[in-house]
Amino acid sequence: MYEDRIRCAALRGKITTAKEAAQLVRNGMRVGASGFTRAGDTKAVPIELARRAREEKEPLRITLMTGASLGHDVDRLLTEAGVLERRLPFQVDTTLRKAINRGEVMFVDQHLSETVEMLRANLLGKLDLAIIEAAAITESGGIVPTTSVGNSASFAILAEKVIVEINLAQPLGLEGLHDIWIPGRRPHREPLPIMSPEDRVGSFTIDIPPEKIAAIVITDQPDSPSTVLPADEETARIAGHLIEFLKHEVKHGRMNAQLPPLQAGIGTIANAVLSGFVDSPFEALTMYSEVLQDSTFDLIDAGKMVFASGASMTLSATRQEQVLSELDRYRDKLVLRPQEVSNHPEVIRRLGLIALNTALECDIYGNVNSTHVGGTHMMNGIGGSGDFSRNASCAIFATKAIAKDGCISSIVPMVPHVDHNEHDVDVIVTEQGLADLRGLAPRERATLIIDHCTHPLYRDVLRDYYRDALKHGGQTPHDLANVFAMHLRYNATGSMLPEGAVGNVANA
Amino acid sequence: MYEDRIRCAALRGKITTAKEAAQLVRNGMRVGASGFTRAGDTKAVPIELARRAREEKEPLRITLMTGASLGHDVDRLLTEAGVLERRLPFQVDTTLRKAINRGEVMFVDQHLSETVEMLRANLLGKLDLAIIEAAAITESGGIVPTTSVGNSASFAILAEKVIVEINLAQPLGLEGLHDIWIPGRRPHREPLPIMSPEDRVGSFTIDIPPEKIAAIVITDQPDSPSTVLPADEETARIAGHLIEFLKHEVKHGRMNAQLPPLQAGIGTIANAVLSGFVDSPFEALTMYSEVLQDSTFDLIDAGKMVFASGASMTLSATRQEQVLSELDRYRDKLVLRPQEVSNHPEVIRRLGLIALNTALECDIYGNVNSTHVGGTHMMNGIGGSGDFSRNASCAIFATKAIAKDGCISSIVPMVPHVDHNEHDVDVIVTEQGLADLRGLAPRERATLIIDHCTHPLYRDVLRDYYRDALKHGGQTPHDLANVFAMHLRYNATGSMLPEGAVGNVANA
């Protein structure tokens, strides 16, 4: 059985149940699991682990590292079972998030390119076990990843033992889509030889000694579909501002007509904005990104995009079914790489990417908070946004100007948590407009951001703040005594708007 | 005359006075001048420009870009004469700093690797004029830089016209010390082929068409000596903690015995700490840094350092005289590069540098303020600290735990300006101790930083803050209403210490 999926005959004897395989996990272990933005995650062993932890009396607490977020409620189940002692580098689960914010799970929020770099340098301890979803294992024992590569390759290489979940729901046609390249150990590391998004520099499979594979589990479940919302009026306006800006850049010779390769962060806004490029004048677009969402395939299908490089494909249910059943149509237009390659500063700087990421909030000087609600409570994590924005030729952050029916302004005097500072933020765009901050001093940025990006509901509030701040002087004027007044007012009253101000967006 | 200094005979006719050459500068121009941390700056033309601006009735305001800071009070003189409309990417002048903080000069504080990258991409406008100090001009018109390369090469390449200041006080022996490599234009850029600090990949000279050289001025003044202070008890203790840490890393196999190449920021603390390595057990050290200070030569002379790569040499008066008169002794151990190469993310990540930079203040979660006094007023600029800390294998920030006789704590609840955030700060070290933050969640970092790095005067203040913050919950607990209480108290009373607390460090 499974001759086409486990082509290395010697390994077929390793097939076992998820329950048996989960016995390999012991209290205190460090475990690396496949999965990047819900794609290519393991579907059976972690869930068995959660079940076992609930049933057993012995403590069972582990450090879990992944590529990025998982599907199938795995983070919820593991959290509820009390299995997660430490989690890195990214998550999006509501239950886990609450446990993190109560201080019950130690969450290490990392640039996604850095986790395996640190693991390789022995800075995160020894990796005891890797659990990797695969479409197949080749004759020589090479592991064929599925819809994501993420950190799977380095996890498998660095772990003492490996559990492989062969997922029959992932088509065999995925083989050949991946490009596995792993940086050498310092100090004798060579350049990463990618000169263009379509360059292939590695192998199709994750190559480890077959004897490291301790168990193989057969599964048959598709990836959890993406949860992004469809485009709406605001995201269409954000896309419109952005396309105008890029046309202007091309017209003035600062970008070529094809545009530099695009990166777009995970989520509704980036996905919707990217979809907006279907109606743009740009042709022969390419992507060098971490996650490929529906929008990537919208652009490919529209003949607008000629190549997309990513670390995962995270698609809606419909798109997932269509893409996986028509892989041959996309085969010469796609590659999936390890996330330390998709997010590598070296390549991002060399290619001069346009990086489009989402801000939770940004301040009048261009500092961006991507992670901490109210400056304290973790939402998801920084993800790859820092890898890209620091090194891109143009780092764009998009957000709707208000949230919660106008009770929250996404533009504030000072962000209470900084993930991307003024040095790394080139452009801020909301449905209200776009601020091009490149080459500007903070006082110039403040005027531009307030005038172009803030919602009319908050424009005067922010102008008043800035006018008062100017009295304190400085390169970056602030009134520290009142700098978080909007945040404190929101905590106290449920709205950032001053008392007496128009309290509802509909009245603005 | 000057046959040895201007070997391209055709160019000798371009020799003129500084006063004449300064006439090439016109109102509204963008000017790029050599000079990096006081080294290799132009000594005559900018000063003539300041004189002319004071005397003329016509407005004369320019954008001045440099490598980094200048010597010879050039920034002061230009500021006093009202010449500076816009200044980037770094400065250290008291008079200019005040004008910046009054909002009179627009100061664009940039990662030092990015200025010419932006200029090349046409994001900072057209460069009208470059003014470059040189030791000589070769037969073919190649410009031999002096004690810094900084941004000089790209300024000369990108500017419409070039003024060269041939400085007779800079020895001809500097020729051959430089390695000029300029990245190609995107999207067809090749890897930067440096695999080790001593790799030479470019040419000895800045090669531009000789006809672009519009004027040559002869000068005869040494560089302004560096202003760093000698090591003291605190810097010795910082060095001690750091060396213990590095020995521990080597012992546990996380670094090899030679250590990865070192980077050290400009200034007293980094210089003193690096000098402390003379008494360390480490051998065959290398540097891949931006500025080479006295400490580099201390280490070379002590036989501890085998090679140092930088963008400039900024030395005390005594060291300057000695090094420049004994260049042959150091020739095979030194190279000076463009700052976009010395500070390039690609090379920094590949080599896995240990980056040592100075914090103005840092917070209990490991965010660092390098630039803004009180969160508002510019000190010098971020310099290369971001280029290095983001991409180093180990990013260390050093500071004395207190300043102004204990009235200021360098560890605060939240920094009011973030130059380096928690994701990019691996280690914080003060004379009190060292906190290794790698792989830790914010709550773990807070305890470690408070326990290890804070001065006893402030330990309870910070513990109290953190205990209160915990009541608010979150990944990064904060009490936003009181987060800047220490800063506000300092503004009001001249001390961050609460009333009733021991007010003087001597009593602690």
Side-chain angles (χ1 to χ4, degrees), chain B residues 99-337:
Chain B
I100 288 168
N101 288 324
R102 286 192 303 265
E104 292 164 12
V105 178
M106 291 295 104
F107 177 57
V108 188
D109 176 27
Q110 291 183 314
H111 296 306
L112 296 187
S113 80
E114 292 191 351
T115 310
V116 295
E117 186 81 276
M118 290 184 75
L119 203 55
R120 191 182 297 122
N122 196 20
L123 293 171
L124 299 174
K126 182 174 66 73
L127 192 66
D128 298 292
L129 188 69
I131 316 177
I132 308 294
E133 175 170 283
I137 300 176
T138 65
E139 288 73 1
S140 57
I143 298 170
V144 179
T146 60
T147 42
S148 71
V149 178
N151 282 326
S152 298
S154 284
F155 285 162
I157 290 167
L158 297 168
E160 200 164 314
K161 292 180 184 176
V162 179
I163 300 173
V164 176
E165 289 193 4
I166 297 280
N167 187 346
L168 307 177
Q170 299 276 24
L172 269 173
L174 287 165
E175 191 170 348
L177 211 65
H178 313 93
D179 185 50
I180 313 292
W181 185 94
I182 305 292
R185 281 181 195 263
R186 299 153 168 160
H188 305 293
R189 185 176 287 183
E190 300 281 317
L192 208 174
I194 294 173
M195 249 74 79
S196 186
E198 69 274 17
D199 284 355
R200 288 188 158 273
V201 296
S203 62
F204 289 149
T205 54
I206 300 169
D207 299 319
I208 57 166
E211 56 274 20
K212 271 180 65 173
I213 297 179
I216 297 175
V217 174
I218 308 295
T219 69
D220 194 8
Q221 261 190 286
D223 287 338
S224 297
S226 79
T227 52
V228 299
L229 303 170
D232 59 23
E233 195 188 322
E234 276 91 25
T235 58
R237 286 173 66 190
I238 293 173
H241 296 311
L242 206 52
I243 288 166
E244 274 315 301
F245 165 75
L246 294 172
K247 280 161 67 177
H248 186 262
E249 290 301 293
V250 172
K251 187 175 160 192
H252 288 82
R254 290 193 287 264
M255 291 182 184
N256 61 25
Q258 188 192 354
L259 297 185
L262 304 170
Q263 176 261 338
I266 184 77
T268 297
I269 291 183
N271 185 58
V273 169
L274 205 62
S275 287
F277 278 66
V278 168
D279 302 317
S280 78
F282 305 113
E283 304 285 343
L285 294 167
T286 60
M287 281 189 94
Y288 193 84
S289 196
E290 50 183 24
V291 52
L292 307 181
Q293 302 184 75
D294 283 15
S295 50
T296 300
F297 294 88
D298 295 346
L299 288 167
I300 293 178
D301 288 352
K304 287 284 189 183
M305 180 164 286
V306 295
F307 199 89
S309 165
S312 81
M313 300 193 291
T314 299
L315 305 173
S316 64
T318 325
R319 257 300 182 193
Q320 193 182 118
E321 205 186 317
Q322 179 260 323
V323 168
L324 292 183
S325 65
E326 299 181 66
L327 272 174
D328 281 342
R329 251 185 70 195
Y330 299 106
R331 189 170 295 282
D332 61 340
K333 297 182 183 67
L334 285 183
V335 65
L336 296 181
R337 308 182 188 275

Side-chain angles (χ1 to χ4, degrees), chain A residues 466-489:
Chain A
Y466 182 56
R467 199 184 45 239
D468 289 343
L470 281 172
K471 295 175 194 156
H472 296 260
Q475 162 87 346
T476 306
H478 269 304
D479 172 10
L480 281 197
N482 295 299
V483 73
F484 294 136
M486 284 169 62
H487 294 86
L488 291 167
R489 202 181 296 136

Side-chain angles (χ1 to χ4, degrees), chain A residues 86 101 107 109 111 113 117 123 186 349 372 376 386 390 419 421-424 438-439 444 474-476, chain B residues 86 101 107 109 111 113 117 123 186 349 372 376 386 390 419 421 423-424 438-439 444 474-476:
Chain A
R86 188 173 285 273
N101 287 324
F107 177 56
D109 176 27
H111 297 305
S113 80
E117 186 80 276
L123 292 172
R186 298 154 169 161
R349 177 100 170 214
H372 281 66
T376 53
R390 168 64 63 93
D419 289 295
N421 67 33
E422 46 156 340
H423 305 288
D424 295 332
R438 297 171 299 176
E444 297 169 309
Q475 162 87 346
T476 306
Chain B
R86 189 173 284 273
N101 288 324
F107 177 57
D109 176 27
H111 296 306
S113 80
E117 186 81 276
L123 293 171
R186 299 153 168 160
R349 177 99 168 216
H372 281 67
T376 53
R390 168 63 64 92
D419 290 295
N421 68 34
H423 305 287
D424 296 332
R438 295 172 300 175
E444 297 169 308
Q475 162 87 347
T476 307

Side-chain angles (χ1 to χ4, degrees), chain A residues 360-426:
Chain A
L360 197 61
E361 60 185 348
C362 73
D363 70 28
I364 57 172
Y365 296 111
N367 300 287
V368 167
N369 175 8
S370 305
T371 55
H372 281 66
V373 177
T376 53
H377 283 60
M378 176 55 59
M379 177 67 92
N380 302 327
I382 192 167
S385 58
D387 290 324
F388 288 100
S389 61
R390 168 64 63 93
N391 293 295
S393 70
C394 187
I396 300 162
F397 283 87
T399 179
K400 295 185 181 186
I402 51 171
K404 297 213 175 177
D405 281 338
C407 291
I408 290 177
S409 171
S410 305
I411 318 284
V412 296
M414 177 190 275
V415 288
H417 183 90
V418 177
D419 289 295
H420 312 286
N421 67 33
E422 46 156 340
H423 305 288
D424 295 332
V425 178
D426 293 321

Side-chain angles (χ1 to χ4, degrees), chain A residues 160-297:
Chain A
E160 201 163 316
K161 293 179 183 178
V162 180
I163 300 173
V164 177
E165 289 194 6
I166 296 280
N167 187 346
L168 306 176
Q170 299 276 24
L172 270 173
L174 286 166
E175 192 170 347
L177 211 65
H178 313 93
D179 186 49
I180 314 292
W181 186 94
I182 305 292
R185 280 181 196 265
R186 298 154 169 161
H188 303 293
R189 186 176 286 183
E190 300 282 317
L192 208 174
I194 294 174
M195 248 74 77
S196 186
E198 69 274 16
D199 284 355
R200 287 187 158 274
V201 297
S203 62
F204 289 149
T205 54
I206 300 169
D207 300 320
I208 57 167
E211 57 274 17
K212 270 180 64 172
I213 299 180
I216 298 175
V217 175
I218 308 295
T219 69
D220 194 8
Q221 260 190 288
D223 287 337
S224 298
S226 79
T227 53
V228 298
L229 304 169
D232 59 23
E233 195 189 321
E234 276 93 22
T235 58
R237 287 173 66 190
I238 293 174
H241 295 311
L242 206 52
I243 289 166
E244 275 313 302
F245 165 75
L246 294 172
K247 280 161 66 177
H248 186 262
E249 290 300 294
V250 171
K251 188 175 158 194
H252 288 82
R254 291 192 286 264
M255 292 182 184
N256 61 27
Q258 187 192 355
L259 296 184
L262 303 170
Q263 175 263 337
I266 184 78
T268 297
I269 292 183
N271 185 58
V273 169
L274 205 61
S275 287
F277 278 66
V278 167
D279 302 317
S280 78
F282 305 113
E283 304 285 343
L285 294 167
T286 60
M287 280 189 93
Y288 193 84
S289 197
E290 49 184 26
V291 52
L292 307 181
Q293 302 186 75
D294 283 16
S295 49
T296 299
F297 295 88

